[in-house]
Amino acid sequence: MYKKVARREDIIQAAIEVFSKKDFQSASISEIAQRAGIANGTIYQYFKNKEDLFFSIPVEKTNEFRSQVALHLEGITGVFNKIRKFVWYFLYFFKNNPEYGRLLMLELRVNRSFVKTETYDFLKQSVRSVWDIIEEGQKEGVIRTDVDIYVLRHLVLGILEHMVSRWLLKDAQYDILEHHQQVSRILIDALRGGIPVAVD
Amino acid sequence: MYKKVARREDIIQAAIEVFSKKDFQSASISEIAQRAGIANGTIYQYFKNKEDLFFSIPVEKTNEFRSQVALHLEGITGVFNKIRKFVWYFLYFFKNNPEYGRLLMLELRVNRSFVKTETYDFLKQSVRSVWDIIEEGQKEGVIRTDVDIYVLRHLVLGILEHMVSRWLLKDAQYDILEHHQQVSRILIDALRGGIPVAVD
DNA sequence: TATCAATTATGAACATAATTCATTTTTATT
DNA sequence: AATAAAAATGAATTATGTTCATAATTGATA
């Protein structure tokens, strides 16, 4: 290896700055190159094309989200406590990473090419914890089994992603964490269904 | 008025056909013009630019959705029966209009410019019925009031939009209507909260 | 330190596609 | 048939992603 490949990071950093202000279409390669202090062509030494560069941006943050979710759930006992923590951390994370949120929620998550990438697989893994928690609850008998687990996952991720998306489209004007307890409350009621609260 | 303005409809029709196969970026004005049997420049007599044309596509369908939701809810008594019907019709509509779904769910709904258009206002109005139903339920005392109504709306629209989006990204391979009863069930449990079922 | 080859960077040239606008064609009215 | 308003045209312009032949840089070697 000759020169350090820190150059690749420079380009991604410049791309983050440009893409967080403009969307995929209006962000230009020239602007990214200029901000990175390199020539246009150099970008194509490191990335196949504009989309490849675009898709490379969220890799790091996605890994951060994934490991942090696991860390925050560590040591917590009780399925519903885990749900509460997941809800809180999900909203907390996007509150603190709105640029990543914009990229992920408003562009990548609905992009047919992106959902085929490895990064998206990583994302699914992190969100897999929701599945695990629900399964655990069903085994313990505290989460309903009369509803398909896919539907329950749609419920949890649906409200969270919807909240974050709408919040971002309203320019993150209000505090998205404000109602996290209410969100947990209704989700738990939905997941529990008719099962009464255990009194041990 | 000289010539009929049905020409505008021709362009929109051609645009629908092209945009349902390709996304905003890869659909070209030339292809739309060709399919409409006109010259490129003519499109700009009717639309400000490519985005304006793109945003004009969903107007008709959005109005159809709006009026049909109202029609389907007509005459139904009981807040939870209305919820069930809304859930069913929402999924039913997108099952039968996947191209519109792709446009709306995967492109427009997350587009910052689109959410400022009049068409989006129309859409919000149709979805406003969710708000009305919840409010009605709260007044009747069958829907919880310990949770912000915005959060309850996020819950309902969140799961529905999430289901439709993921279904479309999976190329509409399975039957999205299959679980509509389960969806209604968990939503009702969530909306009711601790309030017991009325026995009248 | 000079040389050299592998690596990396360059930016003008190219390709594609949106948009403009001076001109032409069509339409309705007299 | 003459006329003017309206509509359509498509070549020219503009904008931008991508390529590639050439130049510059780097680190090993003598």
Side-chain angles (χ1 to χ4, degrees):
Chain A
M1 197 190 313
Y2 276 30
K3 201 173 188 179
K4 284 169 224 157
V5 200
R7 175 61 54 99
R8 192 172 189 276
E9 283 310 310
D10 293 346
I11 297 172
I12 289 186
Q13 191 49 48
I16 288 174
E17 292 167 24
V18 175
F19 277 124
S20 53
K21 289 200 191 80
K22 303 179 176 180
D23 63 9
F24 180 78
Q25 134 140 311
S26 46
S28 82
I29 289 289
S30 301
E31 191 176 345
I32 295 168
Q34 195 177 342
R35 195 175 282 250
I38 56 171
N40 282 16
T42 307
I43 289 179
Y44 292 86
Q45 301 274 359
Y46 295 89
F47 302 94
K48 222 173 98 253
N49 51 35
K50 188 180 173 183
E51 188 178 80
D52 182 30
L53 168 57
F54 193 51
F55 287 176
S56 301
I57 293 178
V59 173
E60 207 184 335
K61 270 287 169 202
T62 300
N63 282 326
E64 182 188 329
F65 179 70
R66 196 168 73 96
S67 61
Q68 287 294 309
V69 164
L71 190 65
H72 277 271
L73 289 176
E74 196 112 335
I76 293 187
T77 56
V79 166
F80 295 131
N81 288 332
K82 286 180 187 171
I83 295 281
R84 285 186 196 96
K85 189 69 181 201
F86 182 83
V87 166
W88 175 81
Y89 188 72
F90 191 101
L91 298 175
Y92 172 84
F93 185 84
F94 287 101
K95 175 180 177 173
N96 290 297
N97 295 281
E99 333 72 33
Y100 172 72
R102 244 182 290 279
L103 210 72
L104 187 70
M105 295 289 174
L106 307 184
E107 311 222 44
L108 299 174
R109 197 172 54 94
V110 291
N111 182 305
R112 302 172 81 81
S113 309
F114 179 72
V115 299
K116 288 171 190 156
T117 64
E118 213 178 311
T119 309
Y120 184 70
D121 284 337
F122 266 112
L123 199 65
K124 277 197 291 189
Q125 277 177 43
S126 71
V127 141
R128 155 105 209 182
S129 46
V130 172
W131 179 284
D132 293 336
I133 296 170
I134 294 174
E135 241 180 1
E136 187 187 338
Q138 289 184 324
K139 277 190 192 123
E140 285 182 15
V142 296
I143 287 184
R144 70 198 310 161
T145 52
D146 64 329
V147 170
D148 200 290
I149 189 163
Y150 283 101
V151 175
L152 298 179
R153 199 187 49 175
H154 279 308
L155 177 85
V156 177
L157 295 180
I159 188 171
L160 291 175
E161 293 184 5
H162 197 265
M163 283 180 75
V164 173
S165 299
R166 294 301 115 185
W167 173 70
L168 291 167
L169 284 169
K170 289 213 182 304
D171 295 317
Q173 283 170 347
Y174 50 92
D175 182 7
I176 192 161
L177 258 178
E178 197 185 344
H179 296 113
H180 77 97
Q181 287 174 318
Q182 297 190 354
V183 173
S184 295
R185 202 180 304 155
I186 57 176
L187 285 180
I188 290 170
D189 284 339
L191 293 173
R192 189 186 278 138
I195 301 172
V197 187
V199 220
D200 49 300
Chain B
M1 199 192 314
Y2 275 31
K3 200 172 189 181
K4 285 169 225 158
V5 201
R7 175 61 54 99
R8 193 172 189 276
E9 283 310 310
D10 293 346
I11 297 173
I12 288 186
Q13 190 50 46
I16 288 174
E17 291 167 24
V18 176
F19 277 124
S20 53
K21 289 201 191 80
K22 304 179 177 181
D23 64 8
F24 180 78
Q25 134 141 311
S26 46
S28 82
I29 289 289
S30 301
E31 191 177 344
I32 295 169
Q34 196 176 340
R35 194 176 282 250
I38 57 171
N40 282 15
T42 308
I43 289 178
Y44 292 85
Q45 301 273 357
Y46 295 89
F47 302 93
K48 221 172 98 256
N49 51 36
K50 190 179 172 184
E51 188 178 80
D52 182 31
L53 167 57
F54 193 51
F55 288 175
S56 301
I57 291 178
V59 173
E60 207 184 334
K61 271 286 168 201
T62 299
N63 282 327
E64 183 187 329
F65 178 71
R66 196 167 73 96
S67 61
Q68 288 294 309
V69 165
L71 190 64
H72 277 270
L73 289 175
E74 196 112 335
I76 293 187
T77 55
V79 165
F80 295 132
N81 289 331
K82 285 181 186 171
I83 294 282
R84 285 187 195 94
K85 188 72 180 198
F86 182 84
V87 166
W88 175 81
Y89 187 72
F90 192 99
L91 298 176
Y92 172 84
F93 184 83
F94 286 101
K95 175 181 177 171
N96 290 297
N97 295 281
E99 333 73 33
Y100 172 71
R102 244 181 288 278
L103 210 73
L104 187 70
M105 294 290 173
L106 306 184
E107 309 222 44
L108 299 172
R109 197 172 55 93
V110 290
N111 183 305
R112 302 171 82 81
S113 308
F114 179 72
V115 298
K116 288 172 191 156
T117 64
E118 213 178 312
T119 309
Y120 184 69
D121 284 336
F122 265 113
L123 199 65
K124 278 196 291 191
Q125 278 175 44
S126 69
V127 141
R128 156 103 209 181
S129 45
V130 173
W131 180 283
D132 293 335
I133 296 170
I134 294 174
E135 242 180 1
E136 188 187 337
Q138 289 183 323
K139 277 192 193 121
E140 285 182 16
V142 296
I143 286 184
R144 70 199 309 161
T145 51
D146 64 330
V147 170
D148 200 289
I149 188 162
Y150 283 102
V151 175
L152 298 178
R153 199 186 49 174
H154 279 308
L155 177 85
V156 177
L157 296 180
I159 189 172
L160 291 174
E161 293 184 6
H162 198 265
M163 284 180 73
V164 172
S165 298
R166 296 300 116 184
W167 173 71
L168 291 168
L169 283 169
K170 290 214 182 300
D171 296 316
Q173 282 169 348
Y174 51 93
D175 182 8
I176 193 163
L177 258 178
E178 197 186 344
H179 295 115
H180 76 96
Q181 287 174 317
Q182 297 190 354
V183 173
S184 294
R185 203 180 306 154
I186 57 176
L187 284 180
I188 290 170
D189 284 340
L191 293 173
R192 189 187 279 138
I195 301 172
V197 186
V199 220
D200 50 299

